[in-house]
Amino acid sequence: MLDPSNIPAVILILLITGSIASYYLTCRSQVLGENLVTVITLVVFGLALLLIPPINRGETVESAYSFLSLPLAVSFRVDGLSLYMGLLISFLWVLAARYSPGYMSHSHDRPRYYAFLLLAQATNMGVVFAADLVGFLLFFELMAITSYFLVAHEEDSYALFAGNKYLYMSIAGGLGLFFSLLITYHLAGQTAFGQGPLITEPSSLAMAAFIGFLVSFGIKAGMFPLHVWLPDAHPAAPAPVSALLSGIMIKIGAYGLFRAFFDVFGVELIREMGLHGITLTLSVITILLGSAMALLQDDLKRRLAYSSIAQIGYILLGLSLLTDRALTGAVFHIFTHAMMKGCLFLCAGAIIVQTGKRKISAMKGIGLQMPVTMICFTLATLSMVGIPPFNGFISKLQLAMGALDAGEPAYVFLLILSSMLNAAYYFPIVITAFFAAPEENAGLKLDAGSGMTVPIGILAALTFLLALGPYNLPLQLSRVISGGFMGL
Amino acid sequence: MEMTTIFTNWLPLATVLLPFLAGLALYLIGERKPGLINPLVLASTFLPFLFAASFYPPVSAGLFPSLALDILPPVGLSLRVDYLSFYALLLFATAGLIVSIYALHYLGRDEAKRHRFFAFQLLVLSGCYGVAAAGDFFTFYLFFEFMSIMFFVLVAHNQSGAAIRAAYKFLIMTIIAGVTLFLAVAVVYWETGTLTFARSGLGLENSNLVLIAFIGFIVAFGIKSALFPLHLWLPDAYSEAPLPAATISSMIMLKTGAYGLIRVYGNIYGIEHLSETDWSYYLLILAGFTILFGSIVALAQKDLIRRLAYSGIAQVGYIILGIALMNELALVGAAYHILAHAFMKGALFLCAGLMIRESGSRAIADLQGIGRKLPVTMICFGVATVTAVGMPPFNIFISKWHLGLGALAVESLVIVLILLASSMLNATYYLPIVTRAFLGAGPGSAPGNMEAETGGTNPAGSTKTGNYHRSRLPLLSEAPASLLIPVIILALGCFVFGLTPVNLPLELIEKGIALYF
């Protein structure tokens, strides 16, 4: 039996070797290569599941070995939040891998795409499993490079422009993290997570470190005013990559901020220095700006991209309120948003592949032509607006409760306002799709094959299914994580 | 301070003398017997590499092979391989071997005056090894001068008007460097009566004369390592010299200046003594300025080699910066950056050679889509590029880590920000070359592909069949192994040290620098 402490390393090694193997296999046989990629992602998901029992017992899984020498050795550590993120990453990657063959069937350079798909997963898993800031930075930087090749995959001028914007902003983000890492190490003499706060005294250096973290993770998360790469990168990337970018990679930014708040600074120092006020203000602007900009977009993927900005604002809001329930809501919203936005982007991809349509105004009657896709799309939008019993409702409820706990009822109104904006920019798409008369090919059934619809269906089902049962694993994990961070 | 012992050993002398004698022999008989060039060059760079590597067991155990020669009285020559010498010597010998293998193929049999080029390359390398193995500043000075003057011939190799002008510029600045270094060495000898590297500080008293000597050292090593505003010779020399010569200068010769400065700080003046003065502060400002200047000017270059040249100015600025900060972390970072930059810039130069060979142009704009023809080369170039940006696990991350911590130790956020700004600039002037080499030019649509496919000018001489479907035949248009393997080794060198359980060069450097504190 595989010792849980070795699982992170095994996952990374599997993904890296799998990436090389899939490159050569896809060169020789397209179908075999694609199946290999799906199998590898499935195995990784299975391995991640094996980490649940020890975490449920309240243990932290720490790797017995350390790797590399850099200036400091890199090691792995899995706590509740790492596991939560790891499960999400590996799950969404399975669906993206399953979905890709259909979407990429007409694309070029597929071997490269699949190789980088697995490498990008490796770097994402590495980020969340890293035991300290040095390991975090290592994988964070590699993530920027590997995902660049995915974002720019189409290689048209728009994709190259968007990819470059993404790459250079990511590198700036990496440098910001390096800056904070140096200061943290200078002040604390170590950078390991889970050792209690690393920085304990308020000082100008601590402030500088916080700004570095904020810039770095703000860029990754798409926080205002560092979001500028996001509305270009998401639409330009292939749909499965958009789903991963929006579902996972921007959450890595949020994950980094969680680590900065609770493992580097600690709640007390954050309160003492008033740092949460900065993120609180920025998150409010992020929510409102994202929603308002989404309203203006006619390109479906661009609208989804701006919506992602607004949604990441929720997560930052929940973090900045610094109450237990708000934090639970923020953590749970990572799951909520991964499922629903993943679903929406995959739907958008299916529409593009099957009809070539990107503009919302051109999607009249598309719900009659692609019923399965658009029903799933509708379910995801319902979750987006926050209607019970969808996950979106649960996260918003937790966030609202958390806002009240913090004595800030104004943020409840912000949530309501944002929900209404969500409704205002999502429901017209659904209404156009089902109730407007199609302009052409009225009777055709255009739904994509099962390779694409099954991942879409699974994500759509997950926007509400877990909320119906008695055992809601993501919510339970969110509560445990938040309780741990808030010292309860 | 750790106890160290010295023992007499003739191998350091053999390391230095072998390429020297081979170079002389080559110059005398190479023209008549061109078949001798390749074996002679390979043997006289491979053996020094072996000798240098063989010092590892004693040096890592704290035993320093050394040799005192009673020639050139009253000072006498001495060789002494301590931690830092060994580090520099092995690095230089590795670089010398790798570049020589590459150069032997790159400057092929039809190259005019081929024997002269390789003869002088061996003489330059001999000087470089001597600088690294020197046991006192007098010996250092002799080899340093010898190396610099021999390099003149390499710069002027093409004998075009521009090459001769660049070589003159180089020669004039080299002579200024030599004269100021001589003055500085003479003052130090007059003040203390010794020039040995065996002590951490010779006990100089503060006086105007000693300050002048210090300035002399800065000017001499500043010229060699292209410190702003003494960098003027470098861009011209690099773009006119044959590519392997520029590579040797970038990988080794620039570093001899930085290495000399470490010796000046650590062994001649002593860190403790210099910390009591504010002399180093001005060097710090110059270094910071050099970093930003080199990076920004590199951004404006459209010629690949000139961009590499200006980037080298910025990178050597890091080393000077680390030395001028004068604390243990920063000095370790500076010394490690010698290696980090050597592998990074070596890989970039040798890759650039292959790219130029394929595309026939040095303009960066002509390199679009070249990654589809030269995937291995461009992957190596990409590795070196992310190294330059300072991403982990690549080498420059390790040097920047130490430099940054050293800057924080003197509470200077400005210096950390300069390092970050330079990293960002590195990204903006290197990464586009890589991304545009791979992306944005689909298979078969790369400019120049048509010509190459129909058998156009192809200096590689390899037959190219079919189209560049790189998923099937990725190596078809790559350069031959003798050019590609050096590139791959250098690219691997950009990160292997950080992957091993113990970072061997870093360990040596830490031991060597610790002697100064």
Side-chain angles (χ1 to χ4, degrees):
Chain A
M1 193 58 203
L2 187 59
D3 187 58
S5 69
N6 294 329
I7 288 179
V10 170
I11 286 178
L12 286 186
I13 293 167
L14 179 67
L15 283 169
I16 292 167
T17 49
S19 158
I20 299 165
S22 74
Y23 182 87
Y24 283 101
L25 197 56
T26 319
C27 283
R28 310 262 173 311
S29 158
Q30 191 72 33
V31 179
L32 279 181
E34 286 164 350
N35 287 336
L36 177 71
V37 172
T38 311
V39 168
I40 289 171
T41 52
L42 264 175
V43 172
V44 169
F45 182 57
L47 287 171
L49 287 176
L50 289 180
L51 286 165
I52 296 181
I55 300 294
N56 265 352
R57 288 196 297 271
E59 296 167 11
T60 305
V61 178
E62 305 211 14
S63 164
Y65 308 101
S66 47
F67 305 86
L68 319 188
S69 53
L70 297 180
L72 299 173
V74 168
S75 162
F76 299 112
R77 172 178 178 276
V78 185
D79 61 5
L81 186 59
S82 304
L83 173 69
Y84 180 78
M85 295 298 294
L87 284 175
L88 268 182
I89 294 169
S90 48
F91 179 68
L92 213 56
W93 238 274
V94 174
L95 298 184
R98 187 74 198 88
Y99 178 93
S100 290
Y103 186 83
M104 304 299 289
S105 55
H106 303 296
S107 185
H108 61 282
D109 280 313
R110 274 169 286 183
R112 182 185 73 196
Y113 170 80
Y114 287 111
F116 276 106
L117 191 67
L118 290 182
L119 277 184
Q121 186 184 5
T123 56
N124 274 278
M125 298 296 268
V127 167
V128 296
F129 286 156
D132 51 39
L133 271 178
V134 177
F136 189 106
L137 176 69
L138 168 71
F139 292 111
F140 192 74
E141 295 267 38
L142 295 176
M143 181 171 90
I145 300 270
T146 50
S147 51
Y148 165 76
F149 284 93
L150 296 175
V151 170
H153 180 80
E154 303 287 353
E155 295 191 36
D156 52 29
S157 57
Y158 180 50
L160 289 179
F161 164 74
N164 281 340
K165 208 163 161 184
Y166 171 69
L167 181 64
Y168 294 115
M169 290 198 69
S170 295
I171 286 174
L175 291 171
L177 181 56
F178 177 59
F179 176 73
S180 304
L181 165 66
L182 281 180
I183 295 178
T184 308
Y185 186 77
H186 175 69
L187 292 176
Q190 59 152 339
T191 67
F193 297 137
Q195 311 283 314
L198 292 168
I199 298 178
T200 46
E201 299 288 318
S203 66
S204 53
L205 272 185
M207 192 68 204
F210 184 78
I211 292 169
F213 283 127
L214 197 62
V215 168
S216 169
F217 298 138
I219 288 176
K220 189 53 74 181
M223 180 186 75
F224 172 85
L226 305 165
H227 65 281
V228 289
W229 62 272
L230 196 150
D232 286 315
H234 282 52
V241 176
S242 313
L244 294 175
L245 274 177
S246 197
I248 300 295
M249 288 194 218
I250 61 172
K251 312 303 178 6
I252 296 290
Y255 171 82
L257 274 181
F258 280 71
R259 290 290 178 207
F261 264 56
F262 300 110
D263 283 323
V264 178
F265 284 89
V267 183
E268 277 133 48
L269 187 62
I270 293 276
R271 281 224 172 88
E272 190 183 338
M273 294 174 70
L275 299 175
H276 61 302
I278 305 173
T279 48
L280 199 57
T281 316
L282 290 174
S283 68
V284 171
I285 303 175
T286 308
I287 292 175
L288 293 177
L289 175 108
S291 298
M293 289 300 290
L295 264 178
L296 303 176
Q297 308 301 321
D298 189 32
D299 183 308
L300 177 57
K301 283 179 87 179
R302 230 178 141 77
R303 185 174 289 191
L304 295 179
Y306 274 109
S307 158
S308 287
I309 296 177
Q311 299 286 325
I312 206 81
Y314 288 176
I315 299 173
L316 300 183
L317 176 71
L319 169 68
S320 317
L321 286 169
L322 284 185
T323 62
D324 180 36
R325 277 195 281 193
L327 192 59
T328 309
V331 177
F332 186 71
H333 200 65
I334 294 180
F335 165 74
T336 307
H337 184 244
M339 294 304 128
M340 59 194 186
K341 194 50 70 63
C343 178
L344 291 175
F345 267 117
L346 293 189
C347 289
I351 294 172
I352 291 170
V353 168
Q354 297 300 107
T355 69
K357 289 174 180 166
R358 286 173 159 267
K359 299 253 182 262
I360 295 164
S361 51
M363 292 182 185
K364 286 179 186 144
I366 208 162
L368 306 175
Q369 296 167 339
M370 306 179 67
V372 180
T373 309
M374 287 315 292
I375 287 170
C376 293
F377 190 94
T378 310
L379 290 174
T381 56
L382 291 175
S383 174
M384 203 56 99
V385 177
I387 291 168
F390 290 92
N391 290 335
F393 168 72
I394 303 178
S395 1
K396 279 182 192 165
L397 184 67
Q398 296 285 343
L399 288 172
M401 292 299 172
L404 292 175
D405 288 343
E408 304 270 11
Y411 294 108
V412 180
F413 290 103
L414 175 73
L415 290 171
I416 294 171
L417 175 65
S418 166
S419 295
M420 288 170 70
L421 285 168
N422 268 293
Y425 60 79
Y426 276 125
F427 286 162
I429 306 174
V430 176
I431 292 169
T432 317
F434 282 107
F435 300 107
E439 284 166 346
E440 63 212 24
N441 303 332
L444 280 183
K445 286 285 174 260
L446 289 172
D447 261 321
S450 64
M452 292 169 81
T453 44
V454 168
I456 292 174
I458 291 174
L459 287 173
L462 281 172
T463 55
F464 64 91
L465 219 54
L466 289 178
L468 302 179
Y471 182 71
N472 190 340
L473 176 71
L475 185 59
Q476 196 193 22
L477 267 175
S478 308
R479 289 213 173 97
V480 173
I481 293 163
S482 141
F485 280 153
M486 299 303 294
L488 297 174
Chain B
M1 193 189 283
E2 202 178 328
M3 280 306 293
T4 52
T5 332
I6 294 170
F7 67 98
T8 303
N9 188 321
W10 286 86
L11 266 188
L13 186 64
T15 314
V16 179
L17 221 49
L18 197 67
F20 177 76
L21 296 175
L24 286 184
L26 201 54
Y27 186 67
L28 295 175
I29 61 166
E31 194 159 24
R32 276 172 286 135
K33 292 194 161 61
L36 272 178
I37 298 178
N38 285 10
L40 204 57
V41 171
L42 284 177
S44 55
T45 48
F46 184 66
L47 286 176
F49 166 73
L50 275 190
F51 296 159
S54 76
F55 297 139
Y56 181 72
V59 170
S60 62
L63 295 168
F64 301 149
S66 46
L67 185 69
L69 292 173
D70 204 12
I71 48 178
L72 283 177
V75 190
L77 294 188
S78 68
L79 298 176
R80 179 169 174 277
V81 183
D82 63 7
Y83 296 119
L84 287 181
S85 292
F86 168 71
Y87 162 70
L89 184 61
L90 186 56
L91 176 68
F92 294 171
T94 312
L97 174 63
I98 292 173
V99 178
S100 296
I101 294 172
Y102 181 94
L104 284 173
H105 194 122
Y106 195 81
L107 301 177
R109 307 217 178 272
D110 1 329
E111 179 75 23
K113 303 269 183 196
R114 187 169 185 255
H115 75 287
R116 186 185 64 189
F117 179 85
F118 283 106
F120 278 90
Q121 186 190 312
L122 287 178
L123 293 178
V124 167
L125 285 179
S126 151
C128 297
Y129 300 164
V131 163
D136 63 82
F137 228 112
F138 185 66
T139 315
F140 181 99
Y141 168 74
L142 288 183
F143 283 115
F144 188 79
E145 280 303 287
F146 177 70
M147 164 194 89
S148 302
I149 290 167
M150 293 300 120
F151 189 68
F152 169 81
V153 183
L154 296 189
V155 177
H157 177 75
N158 290 337
Q159 300 187 343
S160 64
I164 306 268
R165 271 195 301 280
Y168 264 120
K169 206 167 174 183
F170 170 79
L171 188 65
I172 289 166
M173 296 200 70
T174 293
I175 287 170
I176 297 173
V179 173
T180 49
L181 186 59
F182 177 76
L183 171 84
V185 170
V187 168
V188 171
Y189 187 69
W190 183 73
E191 289 270 344
T192 63
T194 173
L195 287 167
T196 176
F197 286 161
R199 286 156 55 187
S200 305
L202 300 177
L204 287 163
E205 300 290 326
N206 269 355
S207 71
N208 284 341
L209 205 55
V210 172
L211 174 60
I212 289 171
F214 184 76
I215 295 169
F217 281 123
I218 300 287
V219 170
F221 294 133
I223 288 176
K224 183 54 48 192
S225 56
L227 183 73
F228 179 89
L230 306 168
H231 66 281
L232 298 168
W233 61 272
L234 187 140
D236 291 333
Y238 277 26
S239 53
E240 295 309 326
L243 188 111
T247 314
I248 284 180
S249 169
S250 190
M251 286 182 79
I252 304 177
M253 288 174 58
L254 291 190
K255 310 304 158 43
T256 59
Y259 172 79
L261 205 56
I262 293 180
R263 290 294 186 189
V264 169
Y265 267 67
N267 295 109
I268 302 297
Y269 285 82
I271 302 290
E272 210 174 313
H273 173 220
L274 280 180
S275 304
E276 291 159 12
T277 67
D278 57 357
W279 302 347
S280 199
Y281 183 68
Y282 299 98
L283 185 62
L284 196 61
I285 293 173
L286 270 186
F289 199 80
T290 305
I291 293 174
L292 292 179
F293 168 82
S295 301
I296 290 168
V297 177
L299 199 56
Q301 302 302 316
K302 294 186 171 58
D303 176 311
L304 183 57
I305 299 294
R306 286 187 89 86
R307 186 174 288 188
L308 293 181
Y310 277 105
S311 150
I313 294 174
Q315 294 282 340
V316 179
Y318 289 5
I319 306 176
I320 311 282
L321 182 88
I323 298 169
L325 277 169
M326 285 197 299
N327 60 55
E328 200 166 344
L329 281 166
L331 265 171
V332 169
Y336 194 79
H337 199 67
I338 292 181
L339 168 131
H341 178 250
F343 277 95
M344 182 273 279
K345 193 47 66 67
L348 288 180
F349 262 111
L350 298 192
C351 286
L354 298 187
M355 286 148 75
I356 292 165
R357 191 169 166 272
E358 170 74 29
S359 73
S361 159
R362 287 185 5 182
I364 290 166
D366 293 341
L367 298 174
Q368 173 123 24
I370 202 167
R372 297 200 178 261
K373 299 186 215 169
L374 308 175
V376 178
T377 307
M378 287 311 295
I379 287 171
C380 293
F381 193 88
V383 166
T385 303
V386 287
T387 308
V389 179
M391 286 191 181
F394 302 97
N395 277 339
I396 290 185
F397 171 73
I398 301 170
S399 37
K400 273 189 190 154
W401 164 271
H402 287 100
L403 290 172
L405 286 176
L408 285 176
V410 298
E411 302 194 333
S412 174
L413 271 186
V414 179
I415 290 174
V416 181
L417 290 174
I418 288 178
L419 290 176
L420 293 187
S422 163
S423 298
M424 195 65 221
L425 287 166
N426 267 286
T428 49
Y429 60 74
Y430 277 144
L431 282 180
I433 302 177
V434 183
T435 56
R436 290 175 56 204
F438 282 111
L439 302 179
S445 70
N449 242 12
M450 293 304 290
E451 188 200 3
E453 273 169 33
T454 50
T457 54
N458 174 20
S462 63
T463 50
K464 295 181 185 176
T465 49
N467 59 8
Y468 295 102
H469 199 289
R470 74 195 179 91
S471 58
R472 300 222 183 273
L473 298 165
L475 288 170
L476 250 194
S477 50
E478 284 285 359
S482 51
L483 292 177
L484 207 53
I485 286 172
V487 170
I488 294 172
I489 292 174
L490 290 180
L492 286 176
C494 287
F495 59 91
V496 286
F497 301 113
L499 300 187
T500 48
V502 178
N503 192 332
L504 291 176
L506 189 62
E507 200 182 48
L508 277 170
I509 291 166
E510 278 170 348
K511 279 185 196 164
I513 297 294
L515 295 179
Y516 295 153
F517 289 88

